[in-house]
Amino acid sequence: SYVLTQPPSVSVAPGQTARITCGGNNIGSRSVHWYQQKPGQAPVLVVYDDSARPSGISERFSGSNSGNTATLTISKVDAGDEADYSCQVWDSGSDRPGVFGTGTTVTVL
Amino acid sequence: VQLVQSGAEVKKPGESLKISCKGSGFSFPIYWIGWVRQMPGKGLEWVATIYPSDSDTRYSPSFQGRVTISADKSINTAYLQWSSLSASDTAIYYCARQSGSSGYVQHWGQGTLVTVSP
């Protein structure tokens, strides 16, 4: 089955840029979605279809996808961005449901 | 759009369980509805998904044969059931409405905590 690999943790100073990678075989050929999850809460979609932002999501969140790596970028990080982030793909033509990445904890120093 | 899940459950190993997710504010039959597991302190895992209009179902390999997803489109409700629970089923289960052809999830249920303990 398809595997998505993320770094377990990323640390970033306030005001700097955090980059979270999601690695998968030829992931550039798939649409990648990103979720933010804070403790005790359901996940929140922050980027879909590689780089689109849902209504209400800050412009500081952006995404890219090419080759074997998709990336979520959070610019001008603040304490409110401290959370777990997960990537996800789904192939509607396959007989499997979606797949999530292993998850990354973002810590704001 | 709302997804309202059934309440927390405490069960013993070997017992059966069926949890539910009722959708409102959208045309329930024409959206893929999935279940996502989150074990304590762990990441998200996709369990299964169903298209209520024709009951097309898809299971992740890790869950195939261990759970059953179903839906009743007449009452806009999806279900996840176990015939025999084990301690390793202890987790929060979220239902999720998938959107678009790429299956992103913009709408989530509030989560159902399932605890399996002797």
Side-chain angles (χ1 to χ4, degrees):
Chain A
S1 57
Y2 196 66
V3 176
L4 297 175
T5 302
Q6 300 180 232
S9 62
V10 167
S11 297
V12 59
Q16 298 304 302
T17 297
R19 294 180 178 84
I20 305 162
T21 58
C22 175
N25 185 35
N26 198 26
I27 195 174
S29 66
R30 299 171 179 252
S31 292
V32 179
H33 320 305
W34 290 92
Y35 302 89
Q36 175 194 69
Q37 189 180 25
K38 296 182 178 179
Q41 299 181 18
V44 173
L45 180 70
V46 294
V47 166
Y48 67 98
D49 290 346
D50 297 339
S51 58
R53 263 190 320 277
S55 173
I57 298 300
S58 170
E59 292 179 348
R60 298 186 298 105
F61 289 86
S62 62
S64 63
N65 184 19
S66 179
N68 293 317
T69 304
T71 303
L72 173 70
T73 301
I74 312 171
S75 62
K76 300 176 184 177
V77 166
D78 63 38
D81 299 325
E82 195 162 273
D84 294 329
Y85 292 83
S86 299
C87 56
Q88 179 239 324
V89 300
W90 185 53
D91 180 356
S92 62
S94 83
D95 62 351
R96 299 302 185 190
V99 174
F100 286 102
T102 49
T104 299
T105 299
V106 170
T107 300
V108 181
L109 301 171
Chain B
V1 175
Q2 269 200 311
L3 296 169
V4 179
Q5 299 183 224
S6 50
E9 302 274 3
V10 179
K11 293 289 188 179
K12 297 185 185 306
E15 293 186 331
S16 62
L17 176 65
K18 190 174 190 177
I19 60 175
S20 66
C21 168
K22 183 173 177 60
S24 62
F26 66 100
S27 182
F28 185 84
I30 62 168
Y31 284 87
W32 286 90
I33 304 294
W35 288 95
V36 175
R37 182 177 82 172
Q38 188 164 41
M39 299 176 74
K42 302 297 184 182
L44 305 171
E45 300 173 273
W46 210 288
V47 177
T49 193
I50 188 167
Y51 192 70
S53 178
D54 60 6
S55 292
D56 186 6
T57 59
R58 302 175 185 187
Y59 291 89
S60 292
S62 300
F63 296 94
Q64 182 88 47
R66 297 182 51 230
V67 298
T68 302
I69 189 171
S70 61
D72 184 340
K73 61 185 178 183
S74 70
I75 56 171
N76 293 348
T77 302
Y79 303 95
L80 186 66
Q81 66 181 72
W82 296 257
S83 59
S84 180
L85 288 159
S86 66
S88 62
D89 295 314
T90 294
I92 296 173
Y93 293 83
Y94 292 102
C95 70
R97 192 197 84 167
Q98 294 182 260
S99 295
S101 61
S102 59
Y104 59 89
V105 178
Q106 193 163 9
H107 300 282
W108 297 80
Q110 81 274 22
T112 296
L113 175 62
V114 174
T115 303
V116 184
S117 174

